[in-house]
Amino acid sequence: MPCLREIPARNFLVYHSLVSHRCIPRATQKILRKHFLPHGPLSPLKSRLRFASTTAAVAASTSPAQDARSLFTRIKNLLLGSTIGLTLILGYFYITDTRASIHEFVVIPCLRYFYPDAEDAHEFGNRALKALGSFGLHPRERGNPDAKGDLAIEVFGHTLSNPLGISAGIDKHCDIPDVLFAAGPAVVEIGGVTPHPQEGNPKPRVWRVPSQNALVNRYGLNSEGADHVAMRLRQRVREYAYHMGWGIDEEAEQRVLDGEAEVPPGSLKQGNLLAVQVAKNSWTSEEDIDAVMKDYVYCVDTLSRYADIVIVNVSSPNTQGLRGLQKVEPLTDILTAVVEAARKAKRKTSPKVLVKVSPDEDSEDDVKGICEAVWESGVDGVVVGNTTKRRDPSREGFRLPAQEQRDLLEQGGYSGPQTFNRTLALVKRYRKILDEDSFLRTRDGAQQPSAQSSPSAGSSSDETPSIFSSISSPLETPKATHPPTTHEEIEESVARDKQHLKPQSPEAEADSKSQPLFRIPERNNPFSSSSTSEATRSSLTSSNKPPGLSATDATPSFSPNPTPGASSSPRSEPTRKVIFASGGVTTGGRALEALSAGADVAQVYTALVYEGIGKVSKIKEEMRMELKQRSKQ
């Protein structure tokens, strides 16, 4: 038997590693043994001694080289780990920023590719946002650009951070209201919500028209029901109370709803408002007005305490007979019942009530009838408008692809950039008629039913005109909205009387002009050129106000409503009605046009579907750039 040192250490290690695999045949093992162990096999004890000694010898002979490689490996791993960690951190801040291009140019195309059906893509997007929101990984508007207050506006006694909102339809079941607020709008509308769950119309029921950036849908108000949505809203309020340290019980919930947290009870965020859209069930006959009223009242009773605004939908084109409720008599009855139910909300302040009207009911009688119902019922404003049954033609000289032509002819409501001109025209008409009615009621001393509850501390009960009403539209300069006939009649009467009066001496005439018989306070003088009714003041002074005013600069002073026993002004001033513009708002310029036409808030819907969750931030940035350019002119 040869001594141990006669067998090369390398041969022994190679042989040991090879023959340790049981899959090697015996014949092959014999050949390997002859090649690597020419002096014969070793006993198990000697083999272990040999292995230990040779391993120690190899380790001792290669220690410096291994140390060098180990140091290099450690440095490489450190650099690799740091790079991965830094990439993840930067990627997190980039992907969760609404301004990131990935939301428009990567996320949206991927959704459209993997989900050809628009409704499937919508549902997956909402599920993804809800999951990301639960871990705090959802997109959000970083940097707080609204802190400057350059887009601030006052609505319903609340100073909103900006005049933009997200329309109902994006979050139908109250899954992601906080995620949508994080995207930058001041108003988020959820719903529509029906009293009882309903499936809506059969699928497929949503179609894209990509060349027009438009949608055709006939959802039919699919809803999980008022009770289910109320449960989610209740849970949201109680979680907020828990984070405030008040607990998670009913008493803690009531403290939040009563305003002890000093935030709106719906949005739970300063500078934001949450709107809940309600509608009737599809099986409730529109001819049975009592049953229809019960549907709406049930929704309001269930949901109003968790909402800042309740929006009554009587204009969906996909629910049979719903638009027939926009006639004066049934609409007045329904809205009156809703207003009364909203006043009974179980909290210290009641939500405001708006009615959502159709863009297709645009005749003079239709618009005047709806405005009459708004005033008679005490509703706080109007949402103009909804999806339309009409189909606007595409760009001139452009032919739609065959598939889009078929999708465009599907029955349902159409939404997209092409609807903006009709929305803009309707906003102007509603603002003109509502303000004229306000002026006439003021002039005649009429007392309107008030749906307003006492607003939160520090807010006035009268509504402040939009700061953007002072921005003149590039297409049209706003005109005075009060009827000019009264002033003309007075001037004609004075001129007629002068013919029967003896001429005065120059001294007497000068003294008469300097000493009028009595002076009407400017705020109560409807014929003064320097002071008009609150509904028309902003439009009359539009040429004298620079754009980009803050909320405080644009907020005129209001006199409170006279209290019993106090000295009252010659006539009371009805509250200015609020208008939300919804339809075709896709850019900052269009949003400013809608606001200049008389809207208080411009809502976005289809633009989010095509350009992603960062669209609101993009519109606000475009608005700031436009205001900056106008201020330089």
Side-chain angles (χ1 to χ4, degrees):
M1 182 68 65
C3 62
L4 293 177
R5 64 174 178 270
E6 292 180 356
I7 302 176
R10 181 176 179 181
N11 288 7
F12 181 82
L13 293 175
V14 171
Y15 171 77
H16 180 76
S17 63
L18 290 175
V19 300
S20 61
H21 297 283
R22 297 182 179 180
C23 60
I24 298 177
R26 290 184 177 274
T28 306
Q29 291 183 15
K30 291 181 179 180
I31 296 173
L32 292 174
R33 187 181 302 113
K34 288 181 180 179
H35 179 74
F36 291 103
L37 301 175
H39 302 288
L42 298 176
S43 65
L45 177 60
K46 291 183 177 180
S47 297
R48 287 194 293 271
L49 295 174
R50 176 68 174 177
F51 179 78
S53 61
T54 53
T55 302
V58 172
S61 62
T62 60
S63 179
Q66 285 183 349
D67 289 344
R69 286 195 298 270
S70 177
L71 178 62
F72 175 75
T73 301
R74 286 197 296 269
I75 294 175
K76 182 178 68 174
N77 291 340
L78 177 63
L79 292 177
L80 181 61
S82 301
T83 302
I84 293 174
L86 185 61
T87 302
L88 290 175
I89 293 173
L90 294 178
Y92 164 76
F93 281 102
Y94 173 75
I95 294 175
T96 58
D97 194 327
T98 55
R99 296 169 296 179
S101 300
I102 191 174
H103 300 298
E104 179 180 357
F105 299 109
V106 176
V107 175
I108 296 300
C110 287
L111 281 176
R112 292 171 59 182
Y113 177 79
F114 289 107
Y115 294 93
D117 183 82
E119 184 176 0
D120 292 341
H122 182 190
E123 291 178 352
F124 176 81
N126 279 15
R127 289 196 302 269
L129 288 174
K130 184 177 181 179
L132 291 172
S134 64
F135 295 102
L137 301 177
H138 58 282
R140 67 205 70 187
E141 191 174 58
R142 296 193 179 276
N144 195 14
D146 292 332
K148 298 181 293 184
D150 52 348
L151 296 181
I153 188 172
E154 191 168 342
V155 176
F156 298 134
H158 298 274
T159 300
L160 303 186
S161 56
N162 61 78
L164 292 182
I166 293 180
S167 295
I170 297 294
D171 185 12
K172 285 180 170 289
H173 313 303
C174 191
D175 292 316
I176 51 172
D178 294 311
V179 174
L180 295 181
F181 275 123
V187 179
V188 170
E189 180 185 355
I190 65 171
V193 183
T194 56
H196 305 287
Q198 64 180 29
E199 293 293 331
N201 293 320
K203 297 181 180 181
R205 52 192 179 185
V206 187
W207 295 268
R208 303 186 187 100
V209 188
S211 66
Q212 308 297 305
N213 284 350
L215 290 174
V216 176
N217 86 82
R218 58 166 180 259
Y219 274 112
L221 291 171
N222 56 309
S223 172
E224 295 179 352
D227 294 324
H228 191 88
V229 174
M231 179 183 65
R232 289 180 176 173
L233 290 172
R234 183 187 306 113
Q235 181 66 20
R236 179 170 169 266
V237 172
R238 293 195 177 189
E239 288 178 358
Y240 184 88
Y242 179 78
H243 291 302
M244 292 289 294
W246 297 342
I248 200 167
D249 56 3
E250 186 176 355
E251 182 180 353
E253 172 192 338
Q254 193 62 44
R255 293 181 65 181
V256 175
L257 297 178
D258 286 340
E260 292 188 33
E262 298 183 351
V263 294
S267 67
L268 304 178
K269 301 176 186 294
Q270 285 289 356
N272 298 97
L273 296 176
L274 177 70
V276 178
Q277 183 190 119
V278 298
K280 75 177 186 68
N281 280 117
S282 58
W283 55 79
T284 303
S285 173
E286 68 279 3
E287 297 179 358
D288 188 352
I289 300 301
D290 290 336
V292 172
M293 290 168 56
K294 289 180 180 178
D295 274 10
Y296 284 104
V297 169
Y298 181 85
C299 288
V300 175
D301 288 340
T302 308
L303 299 166
S304 61
R305 66 194 308 244
Y306 304 110
D308 301 311
I309 304 171
V310 174
I311 296 180
V312 181
N313 184 357
V314 291
S315 57
S316 172
N318 302 313
T319 302
Q320 185 176 2
L322 187 63
R323 289 191 170 185
L325 301 176
Q326 295 180 99
K327 297 178 181 178
V328 180
E329 293 80 7
L331 183 59
T332 303
D333 294 339
I334 293 170
L335 295 181
T336 301
V338 168
V339 169
E340 291 177 356
R343 289 177 181 173
K344 299 176 183 177
K346 297 178 182 179
R347 67 187 201 204
K348 289 185 177 180
T349 59
S350 60
K352 308 303 177 184
V353 179
L354 303 180
V355 56
K356 189 161 189 171
V357 299
S358 167
D360 298 333
E361 315 299 324
D362 56 356
S363 68
E364 194 69 17
D365 291 339
D366 291 334
V367 175
K368 287 185 176 180
I370 292 172
C371 291
E372 180 182 346
V374 167
W375 279 111
E376 293 299 326
S377 62
V379 166
D380 301 287
V382 180
V383 179
V384 184
N386 207 324
T387 55
T388 176
K389 290 183 176 180
R390 301 174 183 174
R391 299 293 185 263
D392 293 307
S394 60
R395 300 188 300 271
E396 192 170 336
F398 177 81
R399 183 176 178 84
L400 289 174
Q403 182 60 47
E404 292 189 14
Q405 290 183 26
R406 290 192 293 270
D407 293 342
L408 195 62
L409 295 178
E410 289 285 350
Q411 182 181 356
Y414 177 86
S415 61
Q418 296 77 17
T419 63
F420 177 71
N421 290 335
R422 182 177 294 114
T423 300
L424 187 66
L426 277 176
V427 167
K428 292 178 180 179
R429 293 173 62 188
Y430 274 99
R431 173 54 65 201
K432 180 175 183 294
I433 295 175
L434 286 172
D435 287 352
E436 281 182 355
D437 200 354
S438 174
F439 176 81
L440 293 174
R441 288 168 181 265
T442 302
R443 185 189 65 183
D444 298 336
Q447 299 291 334
Q448 61 146 348
S450 175
Q452 310 272 353
S453 64
S454 58
S456 58
S459 64
S460 63
S461 61
D462 289 300
E463 182 51 45
T464 304
S466 164
I467 64 172
F468 298 97
S469 61
S470 62
I471 305 171
S472 58
S473 170
L475 301 178
E476 179 178 342
T477 303
K479 301 178 181 179
T481 56
H482 65 81
T485 56
T486 306
H487 188 273
E488 293 175 357
E489 290 175 357
I490 292 177
E491 288 184 344
E492 292 177 1
S493 177
V494 172
R496 185 169 58 252
D497 291 341
K498 281 184 177 180
Q499 298 176 359
H500 304 286
L501 297 175
K502 295 181 180 180
Q504 293 181 343
S505 62
E507 295 80 4
E509 185 175 357
D511 184 65
S512 176
K513 289 182 178 180
S514 63
Q515 300 290 335
L517 295 177
F518 62 92
R519 183 181 300 278
I520 301 177
E522 293 295 331
R523 64 183 177 85
N524 294 324
N525 185 0
F527 310 117
S528 172
S529 59
S530 61
S531 177
T532 62
S533 63
E534 293 302 332
T536 61
R537 182 175 298 158
S538 58
S539 61
L540 289 174
T541 58
S542 60
S543 60
N544 299 324
K545 287 186 181 180
L549 297 176
S550 65
T552 55
D553 295 333
T555 304
S557 59
F558 283 83
S559 300
N561 292 331
T563 56
S567 59
S568 60
S569 59
R571 56 172 60 91
S572 61
E573 295 185 3
T575 306
R576 180 179 183 268
K577 299 301 182 183
V578 170
I579 294 180
F580 284 14
S582 177
V585 178
T586 56
T587 64
R590 287 189 169 188
L592 288 176
E593 282 190 62
L595 298 169
S596 301
D600 298 274
V601 173
Q603 292 186 294
V604 183
Y605 173 67
T606 309
L608 281 176
V609 175
Y610 278 93
E611 299 187 42
I613 197 161
K615 184 59 178 177
V616 175
S617 297
K618 186 176 180 181
I619 291 178
K620 291 196 293 185
E621 187 61 29
E622 292 172 350
M623 291 174 67
R624 291 187 174 97
M625 294 176 61
E626 181 72 18
L627 290 172
K628 189 175 181 180
Q629 291 177 358
R630 293 184 185 184
S631 64
K632 293 180 179 179
Q633 296 177 355

